[in-house]
Amino acid sequence: MKMPTRKFLLSVIIASLSITAVLGIVAVLWTGLGETGAKILGSAIGVDVASVLALCCTGPAKSAWRRAVQVTGILSACLGAVTGLCVIWRPAAASGLGEGMTRTAGALFLLAAASAHASGVLAWRTYSRPMRIVVPATILCTAVAAVLIGNYVVFPGFDPGRGYLRALTAVLILDALGTILILLGIASGRHDPILRRQEPLSATRRRALRT
């Protein structure tokens, strides 16, 4: 994503965080916010979450897969924020739609979070042999975990049993393990794509200098 998009998202995050902080101080110093103040606070928090998730999906897209993930994450975050605002500010006459809209907003935010995680991981998928294995496996675990968690969000009264929870826990552990391995590889500099892109350039320059 281009820099103006990132600047706009940062402005939205700063504005919504400021509103959240002011309303939080008001709630602490006075007896309460009231119904309208609580709705404004909830709206600001929802916009905060959506803006952060969308911001995590920005950055240079080095592949078509990452571009698709970025677009999915940003759209899901925006739609989740709009749906959440509709849930918060819906009239009392439309209370029957509240549960369905709440579940929809939760599913959209879950998809945005999974996309944000995958977008951050996809940047390191092709620069070394270990990363070519770890990164796709981590993204697969992220997708599986999102689907398994999404069943709880989408379907009312979903209770598959202990085996389902064990499988979900195992997938989350593998996802966390893959993320940690990627971060360790980046911290060590062994899988830094910037360094790897610079290696052939520096070699070319050395050969040019020799000639």
Side-chain angles (χ1 to χ4, degrees):
M1 294 299 172
K2 296 181 180 179
M3 286 302 297
T5 304
R6 296 176 66 88
K7 291 181 179 179
F8 172 76
L9 291 173
L10 286 173
S11 300
V12 172
I13 292 173
I14 293 173
S16 55
L17 285 176
S18 300
I19 295 174
T20 305
V22 170
L23 292 176
I25 293 173
V26 171
V28 171
L29 297 180
W30 281 271
T31 56
L33 294 173
E35 183 179 356
T36 302
K39 289 183 177 181
I40 295 175
L41 179 61
S43 301
I45 293 174
V47 173
D48 288 339
V49 174
S51 300
V52 171
L53 291 176
L55 184 64
C56 292
C57 293
T58 60
K62 303 173 184 177
S63 64
W65 282 108
R66 193 183 181 196
R67 174 66 68 183
V69 171
Q70 287 178 329
V71 172
T72 301
I74 293 175
L75 290 178
S76 300
C78 294
L79 292 175
V82 172
T83 307
L85 292 175
C86 291
V87 172
I88 294 173
W89 294 97
R90 73 183 187 279
S95 58
L97 300 175
E99 182 178 358
M101 294 178 66
T102 302
R103 292 183 180 276
T104 301
L108 288 170
F109 276 121
L110 178 62
L111 178 58
S115 299
H117 181 66
S119 176
V121 168
L122 270 174
W124 315 98
R125 73 184 183 97
T126 59
Y127 296 104
S128 68
R129 184 173 298 176
M131 287 295 178
R132 292 178 183 178
I133 300 174
V134 174
V135 171
T138 303
I139 294 175
L140 178 62
C141 291
T142 301
V144 173
V147 172
L148 295 179
I149 297 173
N151 290 330
Y152 288 100
V153 178
V154 175
F155 301 107
F158 184 74
D159 187 14
R162 294 184 177 179
Y164 189 93
L165 290 176
R166 290 175 179 174
L168 175 58
T169 303
V171 172
L172 289 174
I173 292 174
L174 291 175
D175 189 8
L177 176 62
T179 304
I180 292 172
L181 290 176
I182 294 171
L183 293 176
L184 290 176
I186 297 171
S188 64
R190 296 176 60 185
H191 309 301
D192 191 344
I194 297 178
L195 295 179
R196 289 182 172 268
R197 282 198 298 266
Q198 289 177 347
E199 287 176 0
L201 293 176
S202 60
T204 303
R205 290 176 181 175
R206 285 197 300 268
R207 287 196 298 268
L209 291 174
R210 291 174 182 174
T211 57

